[in-house]
């Protein structure tokens, strides 16, 4: 009869690198594998094993696939990935994961802990044309038209607002109204 300790690989640290436009500093969280962050956040996962690692990978959705190979050295492994939503902009690309590994002796961690992934959507900026009120406007040659727009980003700051205009598909106006960070409602006039 041979007795051996079951191979285990657990998350020791999660490092969050948020998108630069958020202004959030990087954050490290220890002793938890559950992930919760804004979409577009780059996550570096650091894991610790109880035996030397021959090969380790992350298995999203715990479906048995080798989704991402982890970099490993002795009993430590790391992997970096981006938090993404599906096209519906609500559903995370992956909702959970497990860490799988094989020891130098060929043994595998059979029942790895399952961790959850919760991704917070980043809402798109909103823009509304206030003046003119009509979506299509007939004007005479050289007639001046005033424009007024409202723009806001519901969860972060605006950084750039540009008004584009075209006649018969040909660009005729490209005017930058905002070219710096702006919190709250922005009203631009041209």
């Amino acid at each position: 009869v041979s007795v051996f300790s079951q191979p285990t690989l657990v998350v020791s640290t999660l490092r969050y690198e948020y998108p630069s436009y958020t202004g959030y500093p990087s954050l490290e969280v220890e002793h938890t594998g559950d992930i919760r962050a804004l979409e577009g956040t780059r996550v570096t996962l650091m894991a610790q094993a109880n035996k030397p690692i021959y090969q380790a990978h992350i298995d999203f959705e715990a479906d048995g696939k080798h989704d991402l190979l982890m970099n490993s050295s002795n009993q430590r492994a790391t992997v970096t990935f981006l938090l993404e939503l599906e096209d519906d902009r609500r559903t995370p690309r992956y909702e959970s994961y497990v860490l799988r590994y094989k020891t130098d002796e060929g043994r595998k961690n059979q029942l790895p802990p399952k961790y959850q992934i919760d991704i917070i959507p980043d809402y798109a900026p909103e823009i509304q044309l206030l003046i003119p009120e009509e979506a299509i406007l007939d004007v005479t040659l050289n007639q001046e038209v005033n424009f007024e727009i409202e723009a806001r980003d519901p969860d972060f700051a605006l950084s750039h607002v540009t008004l584009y205009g075209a006649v018969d598909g040909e660009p005729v106006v490209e005017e930058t109204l905002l070219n710096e960070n702006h919190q709250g409602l922005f009203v631009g006039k041209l």
Side-chain angles (χ1 to χ4, degrees):
V1 172
S2 296
V3 177
F4 63 91
S5 61
Q6 180 70 25
T8 59
L9 180 64
V10 295
V11 176
S12 57
T13 306
L14 293 172
R15 179 175 177 78
Y16 296 106
E17 293 182 34
Y18 300 102
S20 61
Y21 63 83
T22 66
Y24 294 169
S26 297
L27 174 69
E28 284 194 7
V29 179
E30 295 182 347
H31 309 298
T32 182
D34 290 334
I35 295 170
R36 185 172 200 281
L38 181 72
E39 75 172 292
T41 298
R42 185 166 301 284
V43 176
T44 299
L45 183 153
M46 293 158 257
Q48 178 71 42
N50 65 338
K51 296 190 174 286
I53 298 169
Y54 172 72
Q55 187 179 61
H57 65 275
I58 190 166
D59 173 2
F60 291 113
E61 306 303 343
D63 57 8
K65 295 180 183 172
H66 295 202
D67 293 306
L68 282 177
L69 184 64
M70 299 179 78
N71 296 318
S72 60
S73 176
N74 197 9
Q75 291 178 246
R76 296 181 185 272
T78 63
V79 66
T80 300
F81 55 93
L82 194 64
L83 296 181
E84 299 174 300
L85 293 174
E86 295 289 353
D87 291 338
D88 67 6
R89 307 275 309 124
R90 291 187 310 263
T91 308
R93 182 171 179 201
Y94 303 110
E95 295 180 351
S96 65
Y97 71 96
V98 296
L99 301 178
R100 300 194 186 274
Y101 95 106
K102 186 190 297 186
T103 68
D104 286 342
E105 301 159 340
R107 292 193 171 94
K108 297 178 182 180
N109 59 335
Q110 298 296 323
L111 299 170
K114 188 173 182 180
Y115 301 105
Q116 298 303 308
I117 301 174
D118 184 19
I119 301 176
I120 302 162
D122 176 14
Y123 298 105
E126 301 165 350
I127 192 162
Q128 181 179 2
L129 181 64
L130 301 176
I131 297 173
E133 293 179 6
E134 302 84 12
I136 297 175
L137 192 61
D138 290 326
V139 295
T140 60
L141 188 62
N142 295 327
Q143 178 182 347
E144 283 192 24
V145 178
N146 294 321
F147 290 91
E148 185 174 328
I149 61 141
E150 273 185 359
R152 73 181 192 99
D153 188 313
D155 47 9
F156 294 101
L158 293 170
S159 62
H160 194 84
V161 176
T162 300
L163 179 67
Y164 295 97
V167 174
D168 295 329
E170 295 296 320
V172 294
V173 174
E174 183 176 330
E175 188 71 33
T176 299
L177 303 175
L178 176 68
N179 202 15
E180 61 186 24
N181 282 348
H182 181 85
Q183 293 280 349
L185 183 66
F186 169 78
V187 177
K189 297 179 182 183
L190 179 64

